[in-house]
Amino acid sequence: MKNRLIVALDTDDGGEIDWITEDLKDTVSWVKIGFQAIATLGTEIFIRMHERKFQCFLDLKFHDIPNTVARDVGTMTEHGASMINMHASGGIEMMQAARKRANAAAKSAKKKTPILLGVTILTSMDEDRFQSNFGSERKITDQVVYLAEQAKEAGLDGVVASPLEIEPIRKACGDKFLIVTPGIRPTWSDVGDQRRFTTPSEAISMGADYIVVGRPIIKANDPLEAAERILDEMKGK
Ligand code: C5P
């Protein structure tokens, strides 16, 4: 389970990132790096995380013209991101260009080819918000499955999606297609702004490959204890 928990370092406090990752380094394998962490530590964060043997999921949710996203993904592959995401709604051409550039960048930098993920519909959205924000009458699940199929067709390795959508995605995209699920809330933590969430053990039993947990760990009084508790829950203890 250690390899399936991704801790979201959603803070712009470099000192906090330092002590939390020092605390978690023997217990957790993956960290998720977003804008806040990059803004405070720059790409130096990859070096610091690699020193602590973490694999890095770069969560910048790219969404731009294919050439720009391909270059962004290529650059971050060279910096050592092992998992990178982009909005699947950016289109097949954008995702294909990213795939091609990531493969080439990894090869020339002699690094492992990164896992590329498409972001489907954010887990903070519920049905009403989705339909009003997108002016759509579609169900969220139908849109999520549609975007997952597009990501697969473009050669991406998987998607970021709510645990509640795992089953239809698996049906449409098969067992090898990775599903990374944020929107995880242990029963003992605050729900915050997440709307479509499950507990860690539910997400694993529903078939998530990786779960992303931010605030329940990094805002806990004791992040290491919180991470251990979540890992135990993932193991079904
Ligand atoms: O603090 P919390 O556990 O809610 O953090 C979840 C993380 O997953 C955040 O970094 C958020 O940006 C990210 N995320 C999400 N929903 C998505 C994609 C990413 O919550 N669909």
Side-chain angles (χ1 to χ4, degrees):
M1 288 301 160
K2 185 180 178 207
N3 295 321
R4 295 170 66 185
L5 172 63
I6 304 175
V7 177
L9 301 176
D10 290 334
T11 168
D12 57 7
D13 180 338
E16 195 176 33
I17 291 175
D18 253 340
W19 76 257
I20 291 176
T21 53
E22 190 57 35
D23 229 25
L24 297 180
K25 70 178 183 195
D26 298 323
T27 306
V28 172
S29 305
W30 283 90
V31 287
K32 184 168 84 67
I33 295 167
F35 282 109
Q36 296 174 60
I38 296 267
T40 180
L41 296 173
T43 52
E44 163 85 21
I45 191 167
F46 290 104
I47 298 168
R48 293 205 202 175
M49 294 304 117
H50 291 152
E51 279 167 6
R52 291 173 186 158
K53 309 275 182 260
F54 286 109
Q55 299 204 70
C56 298
F57 170 14
L58 180 73
D59 177 14
L60 295 184
K61 298 186 181 68
F62 295 121
H63 190 164
D64 208 319
I65 59 172
N67 181 60
T68 304
V69 171
R71 293 178 66 101
D72 294 344
V73 167
T75 302
M76 300 320 277
T77 299
E78 285 160 15
H79 278 292
S82 302
M83 191 185 272
I84 302 175
N85 63 6
M86 64 205 77
H87 278 284
S89 53
I92 289 201
E93 294 75 13
M94 184 200 82
M95 293 187 276
Q96 281 171 332
R99 175 81 278 167
K100 201 168 156 199
R101 187 65 75 97
N103 293 0
K107 200 167 170 200
S108 65
K110 295 194 172 41
K111 291 199 189 307
K112 236 177 119 191
T113 310
I115 294 169
L116 296 188
L117 302 172
V119 175
T120 56
I121 302 293
L122 300 174
T123 45
S124 52
M125 281 246 184
D126 56 22
E127 203 83 70
D128 288 345
R129 285 188 178 93
F130 166 72
Q131 292 185 342
S132 65
N133 285 336
F134 288 85
S136 168
E137 285 176 11
R138 256 190 179 172
K139 293 263 174 231
I140 289 191
T141 310
D142 294 337
Q143 182 67 3
V144 166
V145 169
Y146 177 74
L147 290 171
E149 286 172 331
Q150 299 243 302
K152 189 177 177 200
E153 195 180 327
L156 266 52
D157 302 287
V159 284
V160 182
S162 154
L164 305 174
E165 283 129 18
I166 293 172
E167 207 186 315
I169 295 172
R170 284 261 171 264
K171 215 178 261 171
C173 300
D175 282 346
K176 291 204 178 116
F177 195 63
L178 296 176
I179 304 180
V180 177
T181 59
I184 302 293
R185 287 291 177 269
T187 46
W188 40 268
S189 70
D190 258 1
V191 167
D193 54 359
Q194 295 289 5
R195 292 288 172 273
R196 289 176 295 130
F197 56 88
T198 61
T199 64
S201 62
E202 280 167 348
I204 293 296
S205 62
M206 288 161 113
D209 294 291
Y210 297 88
I211 69 169
V212 175
V213 184
R215 287 162 288 182
I217 293 178
I218 69 162
K219 296 297 170 206
N221 291 335
D222 183 343
L224 177 59
E225 195 223 340
E228 285 170 341
R229 234 170 129 180
I230 288 172
L231 284 165
D232 279 347
E233 287 185 29
M234 290 166 72
K235 289 178 203 147
K237 281 189 190 167

